[in-house]
Amino acid sequence: MIALSKIALRTCLAALLVAPSANVVAASAALPSPTRADCDRPEWQQVLRPADPATAPAAAEAAWLDGRTLRWPGPTLSPGDRVEWVVQRPGQADEVMALQAAAADPASSRRAPHIADGPTWHVPTGLSSAMLRALHRSASHLRHVAADGTVRQRTEAQAALALDDLFGTAASDPRPLGVTLSPAAGSAARTTFRVWAPTAQRVWLCLHADTQAPARALVPMQFEPRTGLWQHTAAGRLQGQAYTYLADVAVRGTGWVRNRVTDPYATALATDSVRPVVADLDDPALMPAGWRTTPSPHGRAPHPVDMVIYELHVRDFSVSDDSVPEAHRGKYLGFTHETSRGMQHLSALSKAGLTDVHLLPVFDLATVPETGCVTPKVDPAPPDSERPQAQVMAAADRDCFNWGYDPWHFNAPEGSYAVAPDGLSRIVEFRQMVLALHRAGLRVGMDVVYNHTTASGQREKSVLDRIVPGYYQRLNARGAVETSTCCDNTATEHRMMARLMLDSLEVWARHYRIDSFRFDLMGHQPRDAMVAAQQRLRRTLGREIHFIGEGWNFGEVANNARFRQASQLELN
């Protein structure tokens, strides 16, 4: 079946190729296969085939409106000119297809409002959805060709809406992403790895016996063309073992790249997040004593108006409290000492009517070293001196403190707040904190940041963009990442970014017994996604999880420019 589909695809494309004057290029060499050594290289990327600067566009000024339609406002066409879609796949000749002019569809045009009005184009009618899915696993661009064959302009096309259309069933697929462990023991035990990477040519799984060991295995993952999911099921329960992915992807302006990347759905991590760790959050070994039996006080605030909230930073809570053992100061375990001054204070507030402690970001964040951090030493100075600021900034990249609004992995606890950040211990320590607050009669809320990531593109701490380039981040009219939130904005209007947010919220509410969420810059997210998230938690958990959020109306999404926002204007 696979061989037949490839033959059918090649036959159809050959029929659709334009005349020889379209410069069909001879076949390029196939990409080399990795070895286990690639799992342990110090570099997080290998450029396998650099982009040709003469033909590779630097910008993405066109956009797919769905799986078959594009808009490119740039070219002004003269009689005899044409627009072509150039598809470049490793080991094959370039394929050049003449696009067909299409009447503008107002409904489709509203799907990419950041792209100016302009000519709309259809792919050839002979291309099936299966063929289009295969073509999106290639490097491709558009070009404006004059009647005499001269190439006048080139651009890439922003592909997120095409991926949503062609691979969108993954958003509602009931199979969990990330790692799942079967409940069976012995020879029947299995560990399944699943990642969404619809544009990748190939994906491999690197397996490590622990967080420090070199790779013990390199396994090719199996691709599911309908959903864009890559999967591998390994024998045994690999609890506590580490892994990464190698993904061969086309990156605009760079070329074909092999990215070694962590897992967007990682729930446990090595120190400093260098590798994800396999974790079964339902394993009793990861549950502190009383975890299953201690009731949550979520009933203290049956309605949002009943919430009385104390916002709190984990490190600030106990870092200077000498009634807490020194090893636990500034850590999750700082909350587990009920006779400490801090916990006595919170208990007194609880009795006086406080219902919720809202923790500033406690997901895995990118700016605090999880071992070896430092506290800047600031010398006394006059009020107008610039020396204190200079001393703080000199240690900024090693500072033990950060507010935490720089998400790296959404589903794993931050390691700098753990006594033992490596591997599974941070899960247990986080749960011990939640348990201690529940026992004090306090609900636990989380400050969550799904509106941006700490990095995008090919930067080291970029995760989403190195697995599916150009999909998870919100782009401007030239294809650059929007940064109105302060950092690299995410696009929760895209189906799989919305799924990531919803899945992540359920991880925290189900497995860490979080009672409420406070959303940073919630107005940068679609109202529909927020409503769907709350409904899902209510349906799957059988209890109300209160949402509060910043409903500011600004940036590229202001006044519902991209979608109906979850802003104050739309929620009241």
Side-chain angles (χ1 to χ4, degrees):
M1 182 66 70
I2 294 175
L4 286 175
S5 66
K6 286 181 178 177
I7 292 170
L9 174 62
R10 295 290 297 163
T11 301
C12 177
L13 290 176
L16 292 167
L17 290 177
V18 297
S21 61
N23 300 321
V24 178
V25 179
S28 60
L31 299 178
S33 294
T35 67
R36 263 195 297 169
D38 291 314
C39 297
D40 301 310
R41 292 168 61 99
E43 305 88 0
W44 62 91
Q45 65 171 352
Q46 300 177 61
V47 179
L48 304 176
R49 182 166 301 134
D52 181 352
T55 60
E61 297 176 324
W64 290 87
L65 305 180
D66 54 41
R68 309 191 67 86
T69 311
L70 307 99
R71 183 165 73 240
W72 184 13
T76 301
L77 272 65
S78 301
D81 289 6
R82 60 186 181 270
V83 169
E84 298 172 347
W85 184 23
V86 182
V87 178
Q88 301 164 312
R89 290 185 289 177
Q92 299 183 22
D94 291 0
E95 291 149 338
V96 183
M97 286 163 275
L99 299 180
Q100 302 163 353
D105 176 6
S108 293
S109 296
R110 285 195 295 270
R111 299 188 70 197
H114 63 296
I115 300 294
D117 290 337
T120 302
W121 306 90
H122 283 323
V123 298
T125 55
L127 289 177
S128 67
S129 294
M131 294 172 180
L132 287 166
R133 291 187 192 105
L135 292 170
H136 275 285
R137 295 172 63 196
S138 312
S140 70
H141 65 270
L142 305 179
R143 67 187 187 189
H144 167 204
V145 183
D148 63 1
T150 303
V151 177
R152 298 200 178 280
Q153 283 179 275
R154 299 178 191 266
T155 186
E156 284 202 14
Q158 299 174 28
L161 296 179
L163 300 185
D164 276 350
D165 194 15
L166 296 168
F167 300 96
T169 55
S172 55
D173 194 298
R175 293 170 294 177
L177 298 180
V179 182
T180 52
L181 291 88
S182 67
S187 61
R190 297 289 184 271
T191 301
T192 298
F193 300 82
R194 195 175 289 118
V195 63
W196 190 69
T199 62
Q201 274 283 309
R202 297 176 295 181
V203 178
W204 290 266
L205 172 67
C206 298
L207 289 171
H208 304 257
D210 57 44
T211 59
Q212 304 299 318
R216 64 173 179 81
L218 174 65
V219 185
M221 301 184 76
Q222 300 303 308
F223 183 62
E224 188 175 87
R226 181 181 58 85
T227 61
L229 295 171
W230 295 80
Q231 178 176 306
H232 174 72
T233 298
R237 283 177 58 84
L238 305 185
Q239 178 89 322
Q241 296 192 25
Y243 66 100
T244 54
Y245 297 119
L246 299 179
D248 287 357
V249 292
V251 178
R252 171 161 46 95
T254 302
W256 283 99
V257 179
R258 176 166 297 148
N259 280 323
R260 189 182 72 252
V261 65
T262 56
D263 187 346
Y265 277 75
T267 56
L269 295 157
T271 300
D272 288 327
S273 312
V274 293
R275 292 174 184 165
V277 173
V278 176
D280 179 2
L281 297 179
D282 290 321
D283 187 340
L286 301 183
M287 300 178 184
W291 180 250
R292 286 177 165 170
T293 57
T294 301
S296 166
H298 62 261
R300 289 194 64 188
H303 305 290
V305 71
D306 301 316
M307 298 169 71
V308 180
I309 300 170
Y310 188 117
E311 188 178 72
L312 184 151
H313 187 283
V314 168
R315 184 174 183 272
D316 282 353
F317 175 69
S318 62
V319 71
S320 301
D321 187 350
D322 61 9
S323 67
V324 173
E326 185 174 1
H328 294 177
R329 294 175 197 167
K331 307 293 185 181
Y332 299 127
L333 296 183
F335 292 84
T336 64
H337 302 279
E338 61 181 350
T339 60
S340 70
R341 283 192 291 272
M343 285 305 296
Q344 288 290 300
H345 179 62
L346 287 181
S347 295
L349 290 175
S350 175
K351 293 172 184 175
L354 182 70
T355 64
D356 288 66
V357 166
H358 265 206
L359 303 170
L360 270 69
V362 286
F363 48 74
D364 181 55
L365 51 101
T367 44
V368 177
E370 293 182 348
T371 59
C373 66
V374 300
T375 299
K377 185 178 184 300
V378 179
D379 298 326
D384 60 350
S385 172
E386 297 182 359
R387 190 167 71 251
Q389 179 71 10
Q391 290 173 326
V392 169
M393 293 309 298
D397 60 345
R398 296 173 292 128
D399 199 329
C400 295
F401 178 85
N402 195 282
W403 289 113
Y405 293 88
D406 49 355
W408 194 354
H409 297 91
F410 291 109
N411 299 351
E414 163 58 15
S416 68
Y417 300 143
V419 172
D422 198 53
L424 304 177
S425 295
R426 64 174 76 185
I427 296 170
V428 181
E429 293 183 40
F430 190 106
R431 286 171 164 174
Q432 288 176 285
M433 171 186 66
V434 173
L435 188 62
L437 289 167
H438 280 173
R439 283 174 170 163
L442 291 165
R443 295 158 30 108
V444 180
M446 273 182 66
D447 194 333
V448 289
V449 185
Y450 295 107
N451 63 78
H452 67 259
T453 54
T454 194
S456 64
Q458 285 298 113
R459 287 179 286 171
E460 182 179 8
K461 293 182 180 179
S462 169
V463 178
L464 300 174
D465 221 12
R466 294 200 298 120
I467 291 179
V468 192
Y471 177 82
Y472 283 103
Q473 316 289 155
R474 186 176 298 128
L475 306 180
N476 65 19
R478 286 184 51 80
V481 175
E482 294 278 11
T483 58
S484 58
T485 62
C486 80
C487 310
D488 296 356
N489 296 6
T490 57
T492 37
E493 63 270 27
H494 299 160
R495 296 184 67 182
M496 290 303 285
M497 184 61 214
R499 174 176 175 172
L500 174 55
M501 180 176 72
L502 269 64
D503 289 348
S504 177
L505 291 168
E506 184 168 344
V507 165
W508 293 109
R510 179 184 297 279
H511 293 291
Y512 292 94
R513 302 180 67 191
I514 296 299
D515 301 291
S516 61
F517 293 100
R518 180 266 189 195
F519 290 83
D520 179 68
L521 299 184
M522 187 174 65
H524 268 59
Q525 293 161 192
R527 185 183 191 276
D528 287 348
M530 298 304 301
V531 170
Q534 194 161 51
Q535 290 175 343
R536 171 173 161 178
L537 294 179
R538 186 183 300 128
R539 181 179 66 253
T540 59
L541 302 180
R543 59 188 174 95
E544 193 69 26
I545 305 292
H546 295 318
F547 286 7
I548 60 175
E550 293 179 316
W552 316 136
N553 177 42
F554 72 97
E556 74 282 356
V557 300
N559 302 316
N560 301 321
R562 301 264 187 134
F563 45 77
R564 188 182 180 192
Q565 301 161 261
S567 69
Q568 187 172 7
L569 297 172
E570 297 298 327
L571 295 174
N572 292 340

